[in-house]
């Protein structure tokens, strides 16, 4: 990186708060007597090797730091107590709370400039200081330190200044088609936290099953499923790692499990043929059931984001939806005017469900094929686009959504979809392909969208879909996503050309565990 090249020639010395007090050519006398001279017996330090890689390191001369007997973790603010206790436990150190740092210690502090996920990690005078403007950044600094000293390693002397390129860094899990145990999900949360991810998506309602305990509609819940107590533990663990759990109840399609308990809600064609997974969106009772569930789970998932689904509504797959589903067409005209059609009724359903969840103060997203151009009804302007494919009915090029000013999250199904059993031409994604060929701007296919839209692309999510649920065990899924998750973590933290080759990156991942 260019910053690294400059840092070799210039050593920047931070004060106690991580701010710079001056610079000097490496190896010359200190700029201030307050800054001790580095020992001549040590070579200039090298940037740490971590996943994701740190984005800036100012080298210095010194022995570095590693955990040792008598070392402590201290905090400058009680808000960092959870981060401090976790790090102390991981590194085998004592947690001393609010206390002055001494040789051998790690100090965590709030302060400094930058975004809420930025941090500065300083190794100097036999101690470590991790500081950031917010708790999340300090936590990420502790993840860097944990990797630096993994397996008996040494945190190099000098200053790391680091922050992510993208604010949304996610992993989505289909727990509807395949039941995953709470313990397995918790293990993934620990893994995601160490890789500096900040979202875990749970898709828990689909045609095959509904996998979380419900009080409002217990009749829709499948067995096995997660209890609410298990979900609360999952959410709490995620919060401790600064990960937001993003729930998804997909509607008005993918509701087969709900329809099994409420067959009267199923959509039917003009001839009376039932339509798989689709509820009749002209029936207010369908909206009532879905809204009950949305309201109920808003209390269980207190994070700031919600996924509304909205993809693959089978009425819109018909060559002539109005002719095939005259009941929907009539309801659209009644509600939105003579020119309205079935896609307008579907868009109105999406907006109505958004209104239900918006009351709980959530930022909302929906799959890209739930957004339709033109028509009498437009999707609400604050809905973020979860772009996964260009193969579905109603799907458009990413540029079209971005040109409308929409914010987007990248779920590119050619790089980021791990579909069990590899049906419908899907193949298991590899970390190597993500690492070498993908960036956040590669939203559809293999070509990036224009650079002018980069700021509207909030980040990306790797997705596990369980279409053929028995094709892999939980352990096989964990092994299969291991390197793709590491490659994606790197490219979301810094989308530029990585310094390491894939072989070097893979070897580093093996060393770090």
């Amino acid at each position: 990186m260019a910053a690294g090249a400059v840092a070799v020639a210039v050593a920047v010395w931070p004060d106690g708060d991580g701010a710079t007090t001056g610079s000097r050519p490496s190896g010359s006398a200190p700029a201030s007597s307050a800054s001790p001279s580095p020992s001549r017996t040590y070579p200039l330090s090298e940037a740490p090797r971590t996943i994701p890689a740190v984005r800036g390191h100012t080298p210095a001369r010194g022995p570095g730091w590693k955990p040792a007997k008598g070392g402590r973790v201290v905090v400058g603010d009680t808000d960092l107590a959870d981060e401090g206790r976790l790090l102390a436990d991981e590194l085998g150190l004592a947690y001393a709370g609010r206390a002055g740092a001494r040789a051998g210690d790690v100090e965590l502090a709030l302060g400094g400039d930058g975004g809420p996920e930025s941090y500065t990690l300083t190794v100097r005078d036999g101690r470590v200081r991790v500081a950031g403007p917010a708790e999340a950044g300090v936590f990420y600094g502790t993840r860097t330190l944990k990797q630096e000293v993994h397996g008996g390693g040494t945190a190099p002397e000098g200053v790391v200044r680091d922050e992510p390129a993208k604010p949304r860094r996610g992993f989505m899990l289909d727990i509807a088609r395949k039941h995953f145990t709470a313990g397995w999900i918790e293990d993934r949360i620990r893994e995601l936290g160490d890789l500096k991810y900040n979202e875990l998506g749970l898709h828990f309602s689909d045609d095959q099953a509904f996998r979380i305990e419900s009080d409002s509609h217990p009749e829709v819940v499948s067995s096995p499923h997660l209890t609410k107590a298990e979900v609360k533990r999952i959410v709490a663990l995620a919060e401790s790692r600064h990960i937001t759990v993003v729930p998804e109840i997909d509607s008005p399609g993918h509701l087969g499990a709900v329809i099994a308990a409420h067959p009267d809600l199923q959509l039917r064609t003009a001839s009376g043929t039932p339509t798989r997974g689709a509820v009749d969106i002209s029936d207010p009772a369908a909206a009532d059931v879905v809204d009950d569930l949305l309201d109920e789970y808003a209390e269980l998932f207190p994070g700031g984001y919600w996924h509304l689904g909205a993809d693959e509504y089978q009425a819109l797959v018909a060559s002539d939806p109005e002719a095939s589903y005259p009941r929907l067409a009539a309801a659209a005209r009644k509600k939105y005017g003579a020119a309205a059609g079935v896609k307008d009724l579907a868009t109105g359903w999406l907006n109505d469900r958004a209104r239900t969840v918006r009351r709980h103060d959530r930022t909302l997203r929906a799959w890209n094929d739930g957004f339709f151009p033109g028509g009498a009804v437009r999707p609400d302007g604050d809905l973020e686009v979860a772009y996964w494919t260009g193969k579905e009915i109603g799907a458009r090029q990413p540029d079209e959504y971005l040109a409308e000013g929409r914010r987007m999250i990248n779920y590119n199904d050619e790089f980021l979809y791990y579909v069990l059993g590899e049906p419908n031409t899907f193949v298991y994604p590899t970390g190597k392909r993500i690492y070498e060929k993908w960036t956040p701007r590669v939203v559809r296919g293999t070509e990036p969208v224009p650079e002018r839209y980069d700021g509207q692309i909030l980040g990306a999510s790797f997705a596990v879909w369980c279409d053929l649920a028995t094709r892999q065990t939980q352990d096989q899924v964990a092994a299969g996503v291991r390197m793709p998750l590491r490659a994606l973590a790197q490219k979301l933290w810094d989308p530029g050309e990585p310094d390491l080759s894939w072989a070097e990156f893979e070897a580093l991942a093996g060393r770090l565990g």
Side-chain angles (χ1 to χ4, degrees):
M1 294 180 291
V6 172
V8 171
V10 179
V12 181
W13 294 86
D15 64 18
D17 294 320
T20 58
T21 57
S23 62
R24 62 182 179 85
S26 57
S28 66
S32 167
S33 59
S35 299
S37 299
S39 169
R40 300 288 182 177
T41 63
Y42 297 102
L44 201 63
S45 63
E46 296 182 355
R49 292 290 179 91
T50 60
I51 298 175
V54 301
R55 302 184 71 188
H57 177 252
T58 301
R61 299 181 190 276
W65 180 91
K66 62 170 56 180
K69 185 177 180 180
R72 308 175 303 164
V73 176
V74 302
V75 298
D77 193 297
T78 54
D79 288 343
L80 295 172
D82 289 342
E83 288 79 10
R85 289 190 180 96
L86 175 63
L87 184 67
D89 181 66
E90 291 171 328
L91 301 189
L93 302 176
Y95 175 69
R98 295 191 68 178
R102 64 193 187 197
D105 286 354
V106 179
E107 179 187 9
L108 309 183
L110 294 173
D113 299 324
E117 295 187 309
S118 65
Y119 69 92
T120 301
L121 188 159
T122 304
V123 179
R124 180 182 175 192
D125 294 338
R127 68 190 72 179
V128 179
R129 189 173 195 273
V130 181
E135 294 169 51
V138 175
F139 173 73
Y140 296 140
T142 68
R143 300 306 86 191
T144 296
L145 181 62
K146 179 184 176 183
Q147 290 192 32
E148 287 177 327
V149 301
H150 177 81
T154 299
E157 204 84 6
V159 182
V160 168
R161 290 184 178 84
D162 202 14
E163 64 180 341
K166 292 297 180 183
R168 309 279 185 86
R169 305 178 301 282
F171 173 61
M172 197 225 76
L173 183 63
D174 171 12
I175 65 171
R177 295 179 177 92
K178 182 180 182 68
H179 174 67
F180 290 85
T181 65
W184 189 92
I185 295 171
E186 289 166 352
D187 285 344
R188 300 289 74 69
I189 289 170
R190 296 182 185 96
E191 179 180 15
L192 295 171
D194 283 353
L195 294 170
K196 303 185 176 86
Y197 281 87
N198 61 8
E199 285 190 6
L200 169 65
L202 292 181
H203 174 96
F204 61 90
S205 172
D206 214 301
D207 293 339
Q208 292 80 357
F210 191 104
R211 297 285 187 187
I212 294 180
E213 176 185 0
S214 171
D215 298 317
S216 67
H217 288 282
E219 74 280 0
V220 308
V221 179
S222 307
S223 183
H225 61 264
L226 296 176
T227 67
K228 286 192 171 181
E230 288 175 322
V231 172
K232 288 177 181 177
R233 290 198 298 271
I234 287 168
V235 169
L237 179 63
E239 287 178 344
S240 76
R241 266 62 175 179
H242 296 273
I243 294 170
T244 299
V245 181
V246 183
E248 181 193 356
I249 299 177
D250 202 348
S251 78
H254 295 282
L255 284 173
V258 171
I259 292 168
H262 296 274
D264 53 310
L265 301 181
Q266 188 163 27
L267 178 65
R268 295 179 179 273
T269 64
S271 63
T273 303
T275 302
R276 183 175 183 270
V279 295
D280 183 348
I281 57 177
S282 69
D283 185 348
D288 290 343
V289 171
V290 173
D291 283 347
D292 286 345
L293 294 167
L294 294 173
D295 283 330
E296 176 182 2
Y297 291 110
E299 296 183 9
L300 189 62
F301 296 99
Y305 304 116
W306 195 283
H307 200 317
L308 294 166
D311 63 314
E312 299 181 319
Y313 187 52
Q314 293 301 300
L316 294 168
V317 175
S319 58
D320 187 344
E322 285 69 33
S324 297
Y325 300 94
R327 178 182 171 93
L328 298 185
R333 291 192 297 270
K334 180 178 180 181
K335 190 170 185 179
Y336 299 115
V342 175
K343 73 176 183 180
D344 296 302
L345 196 66
T347 301
W349 170 281
L350 173 61
N351 289 342
D352 288 344
R353 306 293 74 75
R355 190 173 303 113
T356 296
V357 181
R358 200 179 286 115
R359 291 198 297 263
H360 300 282
D361 193 26
R362 302 294 194 271
T363 298
L364 305 167
R365 72 188 67 164
W367 298 115
N368 61 288
D369 50 321
F371 292 76
F372 302 101
V377 185
R378 304 300 301 274
D380 288 348
D382 63 344
L383 290 173
E384 297 173 350
V385 179
Y387 198 102
W388 70 283
T389 190
K391 302 169 186 172
E392 295 295 316
I393 299 296
R396 294 173 283 156
Q397 291 287 345
D399 306 45
E400 295 184 45
Y401 303 86
L402 295 166
E404 295 171 358
R406 297 263 179 202
R407 301 199 302 172
M408 182 174 286
I409 302 167
N410 186 336
Y411 289 76
N412 187 328
D413 65 344
E414 293 192 32
F415 285 88
L416 307 179
Y417 261 36
Y418 191 94
V419 185
L420 268 58
E422 300 180 305
N424 303 321
T425 73
F426 284 108
V427 295
Y428 292 128
T430 67
K432 184 176 190 293
R433 189 163 182 255
I434 295 169
Y435 191 78
E436 295 179 343
K437 304 293 185 183
W438 182 88
T439 72
R441 289 198 289 120
V442 179
V443 180
R444 173 176 174 172
T446 59
E447 295 299 318
V449 299
E451 188 175 2
R452 64 180 177 274
Y453 294 129
D454 184 68
Q456 290 170 242
I457 299 173
L458 303 175
S461 183
F462 190 87
V464 172
W465 294 101
C466 302
D467 293 40
L468 301 175
T470 62
R471 294 297 178 87
Q472 289 194 342
T473 65
Q474 289 186 145
D475 289 344
Q476 287 173 323
V477 173
V481 304
R482 182 178 177 277
M483 286 309 300
L485 282 177
R486 282 151 179 77
L488 181 61
Q490 173 60 40
K491 300 304 283 288
L492 287 173
W493 199 263
D494 185 349
E497 188 73 23
D499 289 339
L500 301 182
S501 69
W502 172 250
E504 291 170 329
F505 184 83
E506 196 170 30
L508 176 62
R511 181 173 67 78
L512 294 176

